[in-house]
């Protein structure tokens, strides 16, 4: 199948994944019927409003009568359909870029014969190699390309030099065999990284395969090494496509980055909301518990008031307490509804020595001092 048509088909399938509802276009009913004949489950969005879903008598796989729309959505998700939040840009491929220029089908012939770089080349071999190359040039001038390849192969086996590989690569270009040309160009560049002809033939071969960015890179290097008009002409066709692809990649990389940043921010806001909700829930439960206890003390007074406070407060607070001194003091009653104050009081009740660490707290220290005054301790 023609490569351009295959790319168009890929684009259409991606569009169907992103928005299945385009299949409700009457002109595409034949494609929808084909999918159903294969047993595909299609979401309700692909059917017109006045059109019923497939029944058990249709060629579509059975659907339970009580199956609801949710099932279809789950099926759609399992087949890779994108939700708006997923972002279609994540699956954009280079074939979505409108490119110019013809490409050829890749050649899949067995690899051509290559020379042995470890073999010592004698003067005799070198002369014979040049003679074979001269014969190949004559064959090229007569349009006998396969014959030229055979002569050049003989020359390469006698003297595997960069120029021999690059010359055979140029013949493969003429034969529209880009993969074979790339193999020879790679061999030439391995022997001589500054081979202008090796860079040039590889760049042209990659352009034939639609590898525009790689082709532009090789051709620019070839132009720096040894400029010629052919390189300039090919670059005029290659560079616009390479620029389009580069711009395309930058655009969707930016979109993916923005999407990831939004996802991170949403996650941060979700965690913040969960923490706030947990805090408010705990606060409500604490307030509810306080309102159910007699005397208005949240959770009861530390140490089991009024039954005597175990231990002693700093300064020697007595064990038996006149609760009326506390219940009739609005400031103390208000302070006891503050969880921070009560936590500090409970801490001190467990261990009077802990009072020292609360002395710097302007909210807690005055309350403890006032309680000591009520109980007759030093102020």
């Amino acid at each position: 199948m023609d490569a351009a048509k295959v790319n168009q088909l890929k684009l259409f399938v991606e569009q169907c994944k992103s928005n299945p509802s385009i299949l409700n276009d009457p002109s595409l009913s034949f494609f929808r019927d084909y999918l159903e004949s294969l047993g595909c489950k299609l979401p309700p969005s692909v059917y017109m409003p006045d059109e019923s879903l497939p029944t058990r008598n249709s060629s579509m796989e059975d659907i339970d009568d009580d199956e609801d729309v949710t099932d279809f959505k789950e099926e759609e998700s399992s087949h890779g359909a994108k939700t708006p939040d997923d972002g279609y840009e994540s699956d954009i491929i280079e074939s979505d870029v409108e490119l110019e220029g013809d490409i050829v089908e890749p050649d899949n012939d067995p690899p051509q014969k290559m020379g042995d770089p470890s073999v010592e080349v004698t003067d005799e071999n070198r002369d014979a190699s040049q003679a074979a190359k001269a014969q190949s040039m004559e064959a090229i001038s007569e349009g006998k390309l396969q014959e030229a390849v055979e002569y050049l192969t003989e020359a390469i086996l006698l003297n595997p030099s960069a120029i021999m590989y690059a010359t055979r690569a140029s013949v493969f270009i003429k034969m529209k065999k880009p993969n074979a040309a790339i193999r020879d160009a790679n061999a030439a560049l391995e022997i001589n990284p500054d081979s202008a002809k090796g860079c040039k033939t590889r760049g042209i071969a990659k352009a034939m395969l639609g590898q525009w960015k790689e082709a532009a890179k090789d051709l620019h290097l070839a132009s720096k090494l040894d400029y010629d008009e052919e390189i300039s002409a090919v670059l005029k066709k290659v560079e616009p496509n390479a620029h389009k692809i580069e711009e395309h990649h930058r655009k969707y990389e930016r979109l993916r980055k923005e999407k990831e940043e939004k996802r991170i921010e949403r996650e941060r806001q979700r965690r913040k909301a969960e923490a706030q909700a947990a805090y408010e829930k705990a606060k409500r439960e604490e307030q509810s518990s306080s309102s159910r206890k007699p005397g208005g003390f949240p959770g009861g007074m530390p140490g089991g008031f009024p039954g005597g406070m175990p231990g002693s407060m700093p300064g020697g607070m007595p064990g038996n307490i006149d609760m009326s001194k506390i219940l009739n003091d609005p400031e103390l009653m208000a302070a006891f509804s503050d969880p921070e104050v009560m936590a500090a009081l409970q801490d001190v009740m467990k261990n009077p020595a802990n009072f020292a660490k609360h002395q710097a707290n302007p909210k807690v220290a005055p309350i403890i001092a006032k309680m000591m005054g009520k109980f007759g301790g030093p102020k």
Side-chain angles (χ1 to χ4, degrees):
M1 181 180 288
D2 182 72
K5 292 181 178 178
V6 171
N7 286 335
Q8 290 175 354
L9 180 58
K10 286 181 180 178
L11 177 59
F12 173 71
V13 171
E14 291 296 331
Q15 289 174 336
C16 289
K17 288 181 178 180
S18 175
N19 181 18
S21 63
I22 64 175
L23 291 177
N24 67 25
D25 189 326
S27 65
L28 296 175
S29 60
F30 73 97
F31 183 66
R32 191 183 66 192
D33 294 340
Y34 170 69
L35 294 177
E36 292 176 353
S37 70
L38 296 178
C40 297
K41 286 186 177 182
L42 303 178
S45 59
V46 307
Y47 300 98
M48 298 295 288
D50 58 346
E51 192 174 6
S52 60
L53 297 178
T55 65
R56 294 181 184 275
N57 294 326
S58 70
S59 59
M60 185 176 177
E61 186 175 335
D62 287 351
I63 300 175
D64 293 336
D65 293 335
D66 59 349
E67 190 174 20
D68 60 16
V69 176
T70 303
D71 298 318
F72 287 105
K73 290 181 178 177
E74 292 173 351
E75 183 70 15
E76 182 178 331
S77 176
S78 68
H79 283 78
K82 305 297 179 189
T83 65
D85 187 56
D86 288 335
Y88 175 56
E89 69 274 11
S90 299
D91 295 328
I92 292 293
I93 56 176
E94 291 188 7
S95 58
D96 295 325
V97 184
E98 293 185 7
L99 304 175
E100 299 178 359
D102 297 327
I103 60 175
V104 302
E105 289 289 336
D107 51 305
N108 297 312
D109 299 336
Q112 62 269 35
K113 290 182 179 179
M114 310 295 276
D116 184 355
S118 65
V119 173
E120 183 178 352
V121 180
T122 65
D123 291 340
E124 183 180 353
N125 286 351
R126 191 173 289 106
D127 292 341
S129 175
Q130 288 297 329
K133 180 184 177 184
Q135 289 179 300
S136 74
M137 294 297 102
E138 183 178 349
I140 291 172
S141 66
E142 296 174 358
K144 300 176 181 178
L145 300 180
Q146 184 57 46
E147 185 176 326
V149 167
E150 293 171 2
Y151 281 124
L152 285 167
T153 300
E154 181 182 347
I156 287 170
L157 294 176
L158 291 167
N159 179 19
S161 65
I163 189 62
M164 292 298 181
Y165 280 118
T167 302
R168 189 171 68 174
S170 66
V171 178
F172 281 129
I173 293 291
K174 295 178 185 293
M175 297 174 71
K176 297 189 183 304
K177 293 186 175 183
N179 282 330
I182 290 172
R183 285 192 290 269
D184 273 353
N186 286 340
L189 291 167
E190 186 173 347
I191 296 171
N192 178 16
D194 294 328
S195 171
K197 194 167 186 178
C199 288
K200 173 183 173 180
T201 52
R202 188 170 69 179
I204 294 174
K206 289 186 175 182
M208 293 172 68
L209 292 171
Q211 299 173 9
W212 307 109
K213 290 177 63 178
E214 296 86 348
K217 181 179 178 181
D218 279 337
L219 292 169
H220 276 297
L221 179 56
S223 183
K224 290 179 180 179
L225 293 169
D226 186 13
Y227 175 82
D228 66 40
E229 293 297 329
E230 186 181 9
I231 295 176
S232 177
V234 177
L235 271 173
K236 288 180 180 178
K237 297 179 181 179
V238 170
E239 281 191 315
N241 288 340
H243 289 159
K244 286 181 181 179
I245 292 172
E246 188 174 355
E247 182 181 350
H248 171 87
H249 287 167
R250 280 200 303 266
K251 172 184 175 181
Y252 286 100
E253 183 62 29
R254 185 181 70 252
L255 291 176
R256 281 189 285 269
K257 183 178 179 181
E258 290 175 356
K259 178 185 172 185
E260 178 63 12
E261 289 174 351
K262 290 178 181 178
R263 185 194 66 78
I264 293 173
E265 177 60 20
R266 285 196 303 270
E267 179 66 13
R268 189 185 71 81
Q269 294 291 348
R270 184 186 66 79
R271 291 178 180 275
K272 180 179 178 181
E274 287 181 351
Q276 181 67 23
Y279 168 76
E280 292 178 353
K281 180 180 178 182
K283 188 174 181 180
R284 287 194 301 270
E285 290 176 350
E286 185 177 3
Q287 291 174 346
S288 176
S289 175
S290 299
S291 65
R292 291 194 297 268
K293 298 288 178 80
F297 294 105
M301 277 293 289
F305 283 101
M309 183 181 299
S312 62
M313 286 289 286
M317 183 181 292
N320 295 322
I321 302 169
D322 183 358
M323 290 299 297
S324 63
K325 293 182 178 181
I326 298 174
L327 297 176
N328 293 327
D329 191 313
E331 183 182 3
L332 288 179
M333 293 299 295
F336 294 150
S337 64
D338 188 322
E340 182 182 358
V341 172
M342 289 307 300
L345 288 174
Q346 290 172 349
D347 186 37
V348 173
M349 294 304 102
K350 292 177 183 176
N351 183 3
N354 290 340
F355 175 67
K357 68 181 182 181
H358 298 290
Q359 283 183 313
N361 189 325
K363 184 190 293 186
V364 174
I367 298 302
I368 296 178
K370 190 166 189 177
M371 285 185 66
M372 290 191 300
K374 292 285 185 182
F375 301 148
K379 299 181 182 180

